[in-house]
Amino acid sequence: MRHQPIPRGAAAGPSSAPPSTTPLWVATAVPGPLLVPLVGEIEADVLVIGGGIAGMTTALHLAEAEVDTVLLEAGQPGDQATGWSGGLVAPDYIRHTPETIGAALGRQRGERLTAMIGGSARAVFDLIERHQIDCDARADGFFTPAHTDGLAQQQRGYANQWASRGFDVRFIEGAEARKVFGAERYCGGLRFGDGGSLNPLGYVRGIARAARNHGARLFSESPVTRLEREGDRWIAYTPRGTVSARRVVLAANGGNAKLHPALRRTALPLHVVQFATAPLDAAQRAVILPEGGAYTDKTPYIFSARLDSQGRLISAFPMSFLLQGGKAHLREAQRRLKQHFDAMPDPQIDYIWEGVAQVNPSFLPELYDLGDGALAIQACNGRGISINTQLGIEVATAIATNRRDALSVTPRAPRPIRLHAGAALLPKLLMTMAWLSN
């Protein structure tokens, strides 16, 4: 039976308790290492600012290379975008393919970036295994479902492009796809065998623990209030101390703009609502993602789905101007689940929270060269877990070996987005239009 649209404004089903607005990961992640604020004046070879995935991965690999490293985090590891995310490990482009990226960047640079992105999920799970990180890692595949026959035909070609480069990617046809997803809406889909999902807060906490064990000095509750170049060193000022370093890596995601003037107006915010259901019952688990895996579809009004180890279904939808407030978000979460899954006629939402992804105009990962030994990582675009992990590894390698050819992304000077104040509204405007057509 095909799904029928759920009327907008349909009454929400009964629930035993209102959902928590705290991210699910706060309740389920293992505790992180005990970190303290910076007090006093210290020196380091490299200063990393930002304790999300990009920053922590950079700090860990610098420490493993025996580079004297300090990391400053404004809150706690995994605060903000990392801890608000859906935890998808997706080794895929947002807008490009292995062939089109060559036309955009040139063949050699394109192939290098494709190799990095295609291998980024494996880098995540290898890192988890090597450091025994407890983060509900599920290396059971990432999918991009096709909702039209035309997209399905394109994706068959995309699968060949990835497979010809040695990656475990294939196209699953309609009947198999409907069984894999537990949803009748799709007529096929790409399967990236190396993808999957994890608890993102547990992941970054595990990286932090490993980084500290290897000698990195990590400080929490230490927001950088000023970053200045003094002589041949960078000086970062926090409320209770300073760090002097020869080189700096800015990995504060949207916070990068506050740290260096050249990074202002270089990214756009994409606001999303994340939510998690109560654990599914046995009948639901038998038909909804019965083989595991995680997916994000290509509809204009994006839908994603994955399960955690407790059987909760975790999903998200982009925020729009027409859905405002917690009650409206809860109704929309329930509507979307009923719209996609026949087995969930009355979904119970246990957690619902807001998050934000930083989107580059190119929809590609970016490294910005700020001069004087300073780099900035700006690579979210909804693919932050895998790509930020790989970029953190590469940035650390490039610094430790003084070899920029270790980087798959060529660093460039930042360029502000024209009419940024208006452009910043564009993602939500586009999602509003998508919601109206959904």
Side-chain angles (χ1 to χ4, degrees):
M1 181 178 68
R2 295 281 177 182
H3 286 272
Q4 298 298 317
I6 304 299
R8 301 188 190 282
S15 176
S16 58
S20 170
T21 56
T22 300
L24 167 67
W25 320 122
V26 174
T28 58
V30 298
L34 180 62
L35 305 180
V36 299
L38 172 67
V39 177
E41 300 178 359
I42 63 174
E43 294 186 353
D45 185 15
V46 179
L47 168 63
V48 180
I49 302 176
I53 290 172
M56 282 298 178
T57 305
T58 302
L60 167 60
H61 289 82
L62 284 169
E64 287 184 319
E66 300 183 348
V67 176
D68 181 25
T69 303
V70 167
L71 181 142
L72 298 176
E73 162 56 37
Q76 295 292 328
D79 277 358
Q80 305 298 309
T82 293
W84 296 342
S85 77
L88 301 179
V89 183
D92 186 20
Y93 288 105
I94 301 292
R95 291 284 179 87
H96 285 283
T97 73
E99 290 297 325
T100 63
I101 196 63
L105 300 181
R107 191 70 179 179
Q108 184 174 4
R109 287 179 59 196
E111 291 295 333
R112 188 170 178 82
L113 185 60
T114 292
M116 184 273 274
I117 290 176
S120 62
R122 180 45 45 202
V124 169
F125 294 115
D126 286 349
L127 186 63
I128 291 168
E129 182 177 4
R130 182 157 59 91
H131 293 286
Q132 294 298 291
I133 297 174
D134 184 357
C135 61
D136 191 20
R138 302 166 67 85
D140 49 9
F142 172 76
F143 299 83
T144 57
H147 59 286
T148 67
D149 290 336
L151 179 58
Q153 185 58 34
Q154 290 179 353
Q155 288 188 340
R156 292 184 184 95
Y158 300 162
N160 292 333
Q161 292 178 28
W162 284 104
S164 69
R165 289 162 172 83
F167 294 103
D168 178 15
V169 181
R170 66 183 180 92
F171 183 80
I172 58 174
E173 297 292 345
E176 182 184 359
R178 289 187 284 274
K179 178 181 177 182
V180 165
F181 303 135
E184 295 291 326
R185 297 172 63 87
Y186 303 116
C187 52
L190 279 177
R191 181 184 187 276
F192 293 80
D194 288 335
S197 61
L198 47 71
N199 181 319
L201 184 58
Y203 178 53
V204 78
R205 286 175 174 177
I207 299 172
R209 183 176 292 105
R212 193 177 66 168
N213 289 344
H214 281 82
R217 289 175 285 169
L218 314 178
F219 297 94
S220 64
E221 306 299 336
S222 300
V224 175
T225 57
R226 194 163 84 253
L227 179 66
E228 295 183 350
R229 183 72 175 173
E230 298 183 9
D232 63 349
R233 301 184 72 83
W234 290 93
I235 310 296
Y237 295 84
T238 73
R240 301 174 65 185
T242 62
V243 179
S244 169
R246 293 195 306 112
R247 290 172 286 189
V248 172
V249 177
L250 305 186
N253 196 36
N256 280 345
K258 298 177 181 179
L259 298 171
H260 195 287
L263 296 174
R264 296 171 189 162
R265 303 184 301 278
T266 57
L268 303 174
L270 175 62
H271 297 274
V272 297
V273 175
Q274 308 275 356
F275 56 96
T277 69
L280 305 187
D281 61 34
Q284 292 170 329
R285 294 184 72 167
V287 296
I288 297 175
L289 293 170
E291 301 173 15
Y295 76 79
T296 300
D297 68 17
K298 295 286 189 179
T299 59
Y301 190 44
I302 300 167
F303 184 78
S304 67
R306 55 158 293 202
L307 300 173
D308 71 359
S309 60
Q310 301 302 311
R312 300 181 185 89
L313 191 147
I314 301 153
S315 185
F317 59 87
M319 293 179 67
S320 70
F321 289 115
L322 299 179
L323 293 174
Q324 301 288 334
K327 291 183 179 179
H329 290 163
L330 177 58
R331 287 194 299 269
E332 182 67 357
Q334 293 171 319
R335 186 187 76 86
R336 297 221 76 192
L337 291 175
K338 290 187 284 187
Q339 182 185 52
H340 282 76
F341 301 114
D342 287 334
M344 300 189 76
D346 184 23
Q348 178 180 328
I349 309 297
D350 279 0
Y351 296 85
I352 187 164
W353 67 96
E354 296 181 10
V356 62
Q358 296 297 320
V359 179
N360 299 324
S362 65
F363 289 96
L364 295 172
E366 297 280 8
L367 286 177
Y368 292 133
D369 187 345
L370 305 174
D372 297 318
L375 280 175
I377 299 173
Q378 190 166 291
C380 188
N381 297 305
R383 295 286 191 265
I385 289 175
S386 58
I387 293 177
N388 277 334
T389 295
Q390 186 62 58
L391 272 185
I393 294 170
E394 292 186 3
V395 167
T397 300
I399 291 173
T401 62
N402 200 30
R403 291 181 53 190
R404 287 217 167 180
D405 60 0
L407 299 171
S408 300
V409 178
T410 302
R412 66 174 180 87
R415 292 191 293 267
I417 298 170
R418 295 183 60 190
L419 305 174
H420 183 268
L425 301 174
L426 186 59
K428 190 176 285 189
L429 176 61
L430 291 174
M431 291 305 103
T432 300
M433 295 171 63
W435 181 81
L436 288 169
S437 65
N438 178 56

